[in-house]
Amino acid sequence: MDIAHLIQTVLIYALPVLFAITVHEAAHGYAARHFGDNTAAMMGRITLNPVKHIDPVGTILMPLLLYFATSGAFLFGYARPVPVRFDRLRHPKRDMVWVALAGPGANLLQALLWAVLMYVLLGLDVNERFFLEMCKAGVLVNVVMFAFNLFPLPPLDGGRILIGLLPWRYAALLARIEPWGFFVVMALVILGVVSTLWMQPIMALTYGLLDILLTPLSFLIR
C-alpha cells in the first residue's frame, strides 16, 4: 500500500465527501420541516456541521477498512440518517416523496457546482492539480451518491420514493422489506447487480445531464 498515495487520495476526497453527506442529510431535514415534521430540527440535525451527520463506523471505519482490504477497488459508507416521522408530514404518502428526493437532489446540485468550479478554475488558467482533482472527486462522489440513493429499495431514498408513488396495497408490501433492506442492498452490491444494472446506467445519464447543463459555460470559457 502506497501511504503517500493514500494520504493524497484522502486529502482530495475529504472535503467533497464531507459536503456530500452533510448537505444530503441536512436536505432531508429541511424538506421534512417544510412539509410538517420538525423531528430533525428538534434533534439539531438540520445543520451543515458534518460532526452531526458522521457515523463513526459507517462514515470512517468501514470505508477505510474496505479501502485497505480491496486496495481501493471497492468503497462503501453511510452517514447517520436524519430522523423523519413520516406520520407527522401534512400529506405523509405524497410528502415522503419530496423528503426522500431532497437528499439525492442535493447531491445532484453539488455535482453541478463542483463541475462549475472546475470550469471556472480552468477558465482562470488555474492548473493546480490538487484543486482540479478535488473538483473531479466532488463530481464523482455526488454522482455516485445520487445514483446509489435512488436505488428503488427501502431504506434507500429511491425505495421511499417508490413507496410514495405506488398504490397503497403495493406500497405496504414494499415497506415491509425495510427492516432487511440494507442487507438485501448489500448483497446485491456484492453480487454486482447494483453496479451493472443500476449504477452504471444512472451515472451515465447523470453525467450526460451535467454535460448538457454545462454546455453554455463550456462555450464561455473557450
Side-chain angles (χ1 to χ4, degrees):
M1 178 65 65
D2 187 341
I3 299 300
H5 177 71
L6 172 62
I7 293 173
Q8 184 182 55
T9 301
V10 169
L11 290 175
I12 288 172
Y13 276 86
L15 197 59
V17 168
L18 282 176
F19 272 121
I21 64 174
T22 299
V23 179
H24 177 103
E25 294 300 333
H28 284 312
Y30 278 116
R33 184 174 65 180
H34 175 77
F35 289 105
D37 175 32
N38 206 34
T39 305
M42 291 188 296
M43 297 180 68
R45 295 296 305 281
I46 302 183
T47 176
L48 295 181
N49 178 2
V51 175
K52 295 287 187 178
H53 304 292
I54 289 175
D55 182 281
V57 175
T59 314
I60 300 172
L61 183 60
M62 181 184 289
L64 285 175
L65 288 175
L66 287 173
Y67 185 92
F68 282 109
T70 66
S71 298
F74 178 73
L75 284 176
F76 178 78
Y78 56 87
R80 290 175 57 209
V82 164
V84 177
R85 286 282 303 273
F86 293 108
D87 59 308
R88 292 183 177 178
L89 300 174
R90 285 187 287 274
H91 305 282
K93 195 166 183 298
R94 183 192 69 188
D95 293 346
M96 80 157 55
V97 174
W98 296 110
V99 173
L101 271 173
N107 290 124
L108 181 60
L109 177 60
Q110 287 181 86
L112 178 62
L113 292 176
W114 279 109
V116 168
L117 178 58
M118 183 167 65
Y119 272 97
V120 170
L121 291 176
L122 291 172
L124 295 173
D125 290 326
V126 177
N127 295 310
E128 175 58 48
R129 179 178 173 271
F130 178 81
F131 295 118
L132 294 177
E133 289 297 322
M134 182 180 288
C135 289
K136 291 178 183 178
V139 175
L140 175 61
V141 166
N142 281 285
V143 169
V144 167
M145 283 192 66
F146 172 76
F148 182 74
N149 279 284
L150 285 179
F151 189 72
L153 268 182
L156 295 179
D157 297 325
R160 297 223 166 98
I161 292 168
L162 189 56
I163 289 171
L165 295 175
L166 286 172
W168 278 108
R169 176 183 175 186
Y170 301 107
L173 290 174
L174 182 60
R176 291 178 185 174
I177 297 175
E178 182 155 354
W180 302 278
F182 177 81
F183 303 103
V184 174
V185 171
M186 285 299 93
L188 293 175
V189 167
I190 293 169
L191 291 172
V193 174
V194 173
S195 174
T196 304
L197 299 182
W198 183 262
M199 294 291 291
Q200 292 178 20
I202 298 299
M203 288 179 65
L205 288 171
T206 305
Y207 277 117
L209 174 61
L210 291 174
D211 284 340
I212 293 171
L213 294 174
L214 291 164
T215 299
L217 185 58
S218 66
F219 280 114
L220 285 175
I221 66 170
R222 284 179 181 176

